[in-house]
Amino acid sequence: MAYTNSPLVSYTRISPNRTKNRNHAIDTITIHCVVGQCSVETLGNIFAPESRQASCNYGIGADGRIGMYCEEKDRSWCSSNAANDHRAVTIEVASDTKHPYAVNDKAYAALIDLCTDICKRNGIKKLLWKADKSLIGQVDKQNMTVHRWFANKSCPGDYLYSRHSEIAELVNKRLSTDEKPDAEGLQASVFKNMTEVDVIKKVGPLFTADQKASGVLASVSLAQFILESGYGKSELAQNANNVFGMKKSLSGNTWSGSSWDGKSVYTKETQEWDGSKYITITADFRKYDCVEKSIADHSAYLLGAKNGSKLRYDGLKDCTDYKKVVQIIKDGGYATSPTYVENICGIIEKWNLIQYDAKADTVTWYRVRKSWEDASSQIGAFKILKNAKACADKNPGYLVFDDKGVVVYGKTEFDPYLVRVSVADLNIRKGPGTNYAKTGNFTGIGVFTIIAEENGQGASRWGKLKSGAGWISLDYAKRI
């Protein structure tokens, strides 16, 4: 089947830790907690090294932004169970570092948005949660799973675990109130009884997607939508999915790339200036199948409309300064109001609409050096990890580092290894020794990866946990 990715994503850094082409259709969602109030960029750094051997499909930062680290077509390495991850979309959510691993309101709201989107795009009609491990794989009874069912972990933490029923309820409410599925496009009629905040959350990602396709800044178009359609509740929006007041013909202008079908119209009375006063006329306005087509047609107009032989809004495409974009639109004759620029900018700032502006894709440079500190030893920098690895292989003693100085390839001085802990209450400390404070957490019984060793007070040797949780006494751990 064909897989798609969420349009809610604002940051992408694909992890090498994944299995290409999942072997099962998506029918499950698995929510995890990060154990850290981190950003989507930090999550990208965490999952970037091959040595990490972990990833997730999506991550939600503490600010509510959503990152993608493994496309939905591929299986992430997230839940300690291959069968689960082949059928599930996995989500890591920024959380506190201590029990109950709470998440903030922004991250929680984004989680509901993302789960709803995942369900809609993958044909999941309803999220089901029974808190019953025995129902794993029986998606007609339960299609949410948790990491703690597959490994000796507390993930997703009691805060999110106790809210799975609420998450399912909130998502299902949204799924049931959407009048048409996304395959047919968003209908403006769904805005009728929505709050202004919910309308913005609903359409914001559509403008982000449009910017990526057209180059027209999302925050500006979204503010125009708010001003010109009254949050999608105007007569024209509700009856014709026309959210920008686009007439059948605009001052004789034609432009390429129009998404209007060329014939569907909605006729209504409107006010026009005849040179001395406003008069009421009857005019034909464009009617669209969905809101997305109205947005696309508006962007096509801004990019293609001409004044004689010159582009009316020249300089608008790919401009990322919203104040400059609004001024270009005003100067091109889009609006005659002397306060138009002030009005649009005011809306952008009131709702922080720049959060929907598409972020430029970041390029990671992989540097081949003997050590991160020894920049003079660098023998190459590559955009493609495979090429960096090949360079390191040809030069013994060299490692591959990412932009943050993290080793992503090559043999370091310390070889990580596995240990088995057989006591349930082995303290995790903030440093290698009993003179360091306890973190307040225990390892529990299980297998753990040690990535460094140090001598320290209170034990013959201390080991650093790969998870980043801290240090443990190796006197209570058996190497395997």
Side-chain angles (χ1 to χ4, degrees):
M1 65 171 292
Y3 292 98
T4 60
N5 299 314
S6 177
L8 304 179
V9 169
S10 62
Y11 173 83
T12 300
R13 187 175 182 182
I14 300 302
S15 169
N17 307 316
R18 67 190 192 281
T19 302
K20 292 185 177 180
N21 301 318
R22 62 170 74 233
N23 64 18
H24 196 287
I26 293 171
D27 58 13
T28 301
I29 292 177
T30 308
I31 300 168
H32 301 251
C33 66
V34 174
V35 190
Q37 293 290 2
C38 64
S39 67
V40 291
E41 289 82 4
T42 298
L43 270 175
N45 294 336
I46 290 172
F47 294 133
E50 289 186 346
S51 59
R52 187 72 182 184
Q53 294 291 290
S55 66
C56 61
N57 292 112
Y58 299 105
I60 300 175
D63 59 359
R65 293 167 56 222
I66 297 172
M68 180 172 69
Y69 314 102
C70 177
E71 294 185 86
E72 289 189 28
K73 67 182 179 65
D74 296 332
R75 172 217 154 190
S76 67
W77 299 352
C78 199
S79 308
S80 304
N81 184 278
N84 180 78
D85 288 350
H86 267 297
R87 71 191 306 162
V89 173
T90 57
I91 307 168
E92 290 273 6
V93 187
S95 69
D96 289 345
T97 58
K98 294 183 179 180
H99 174 80
Y101 305 100
V103 306
N104 66 34
D105 291 343
K106 288 183 179 179
Y108 191 73
L111 175 63
I112 303 303
D113 291 341
L114 181 57
C115 288
T116 304
D117 171 66
I118 290 167
C119 288
K120 290 166 67 176
R121 287 183 297 101
N122 290 285
I124 300 174
K125 302 300 183 184
K126 191 175 184 180
L127 269 188
L128 304 170
W129 174 249
K130 302 292 185 182
D132 188 344
K133 182 179 178 180
S134 70
L135 297 179
I136 293 173
Q138 300 181 50
V139 296
D140 59 326
K141 299 177 182 177
Q142 178 175 261
N143 53 14
M144 300 174 76
T145 56
V146 288
H147 198 174
R148 61 176 64 176
W149 289 349
F150 306 110
N152 182 30
K153 297 179 179 292
S154 61
C155 186
D158 288 352
Y159 184 90
L160 284 174
Y161 185 84
S162 66
R163 284 165 173 77
H164 268 48
S165 292
E166 178 183 87
I167 292 168
E169 181 181 352
L170 292 172
V171 170
N172 292 336
K173 183 178 180 180
R174 293 189 182 187
L175 293 175
S176 65
T177 55
D178 280 346
E179 296 194 359
K180 289 195 175 184
D182 277 0
E184 299 180 21
L186 179 65
Q187 302 299 299
S189 55
V190 303
F191 303 143
K192 187 174 182 180
N193 296 314
M194 281 180 139
T195 65
E196 294 175 353
V197 172
D198 285 341
V199 170
I200 293 171
K201 286 182 178 180
K202 185 75 173 175
V203 299
L206 301 183
F207 286 92
T208 304
D210 178 74
Q211 180 187 339
K212 290 179 179 179
S214 70
V216 177
L217 196 62
S219 56
V220 173
S221 294
L222 180 49
Q224 289 181 298
F225 156 84
I226 290 171
L227 181 65
E228 296 171 23
S229 72
Y231 297 88
K233 299 179 183 183
S234 68
E235 176 190 349
L236 195 56
Q238 289 291 301
N239 292 283
N241 287 318
N242 187 331
V243 295
F244 293 101
M246 300 276 280
K247 288 185 178 179
K248 179 181 178 181
S249 60
L250 297 173
S251 303
N253 240 310
T254 58
W255 57 92
S256 61
S258 175
S259 55
W260 178 51
D261 64 12
K263 58 184 179 181
S264 299
V265 297
Y266 180 79
T267 304
K268 66 182 286 290
E269 290 185 346
T270 187
Q271 295 284 308
E272 285 205 352
W273 184 254
D274 70 353
S276 60
K277 63 182 183 302
Y278 280 103
I279 59 173
T280 300
I281 65 167
T282 300
D284 289 335
F285 292 82
R286 299 182 176 205
K287 185 174 183 178
Y288 302 94
D289 293 336
C290 59
V291 172
E292 291 92 331
K293 288 189 176 182
S294 179
I295 295 171
D297 198 29
H298 176 254
S299 292
Y301 165 73
L302 290 176
L303 296 177
K306 292 185 176 181
N307 185 2
S309 60
K310 295 182 178 180
L311 289 174
R312 186 179 290 270
Y313 309 107
D314 191 25
L316 181 147
K317 183 176 175 64
D318 294 326
C319 181
T320 57
D321 182 335
Y322 72 86
K323 293 182 179 179
K324 185 176 180 180
V325 171
V326 179
Q327 192 63 56
I328 290 172
I329 291 173
K330 173 66 168 62
D331 293 344
Y334 187 94
T336 57
S337 169
T339 61
Y340 185 77
V341 172
E342 180 181 346
N343 293 342
I344 293 295
C345 289
I347 293 172
I348 292 172
E349 290 155 9
K350 175 183 178 180
W351 296 110
N352 187 31
L353 299 186
I354 60 172
Q355 66 182 294
Y356 294 104
D357 289 339
K359 306 299 185 295
D361 292 335
T362 56
V363 176
T364 297
W365 285 94
Y366 297 101
R367 294 169 171 82
V368 182
R369 303 177 179 179
K370 288 185 176 180
S371 70
W372 182 248
E373 293 75 19
D374 186 6
S376 63
S377 69
Q378 182 168 305
I379 57 175
F382 305 85
K383 293 182 181 180
I384 300 173
L385 179 58
K386 180 180 179 181
N387 294 340
K389 289 180 177 179
C391 180
D393 288 340
K394 293 177 182 177
N395 295 274
Y398 281 81
L399 307 170
V400 179
F401 298 86
D402 66 12
D403 290 336
K404 305 297 183 182
V406 176
V407 176
V408 295
Y409 182 73
K411 184 178 177 64
T412 58
E413 293 183 3
F414 186 88
D415 289 323
Y417 61 89
L418 298 177
V419 298
R420 185 182 302 280
V421 175
S422 301
V423 294
D425 57 351
L426 180 59
N427 282 305
I428 301 175
R429 294 185 177 270
K430 295 182 178 181
T434 52
N435 53 320
Y436 288 89
K438 299 176 183 177
T439 65
N441 296 318
F442 304 100
T443 60
I445 297 173
V447 175
F448 304 89
T449 302
I450 300 300
I451 61 170
E453 287 186 5
E454 293 283 350
N455 292 321
Q457 182 177 312
S460 59
R461 196 73 168 159
W462 291 85
K464 186 177 183 180
L465 295 169
K466 178 182 176 182
S467 66
W471 295 74
I472 61 171
S473 167
L474 295 178
D475 294 341
Y476 297 94
K478 182 179 180 181
R479 187 164 180 164
I480 57 176

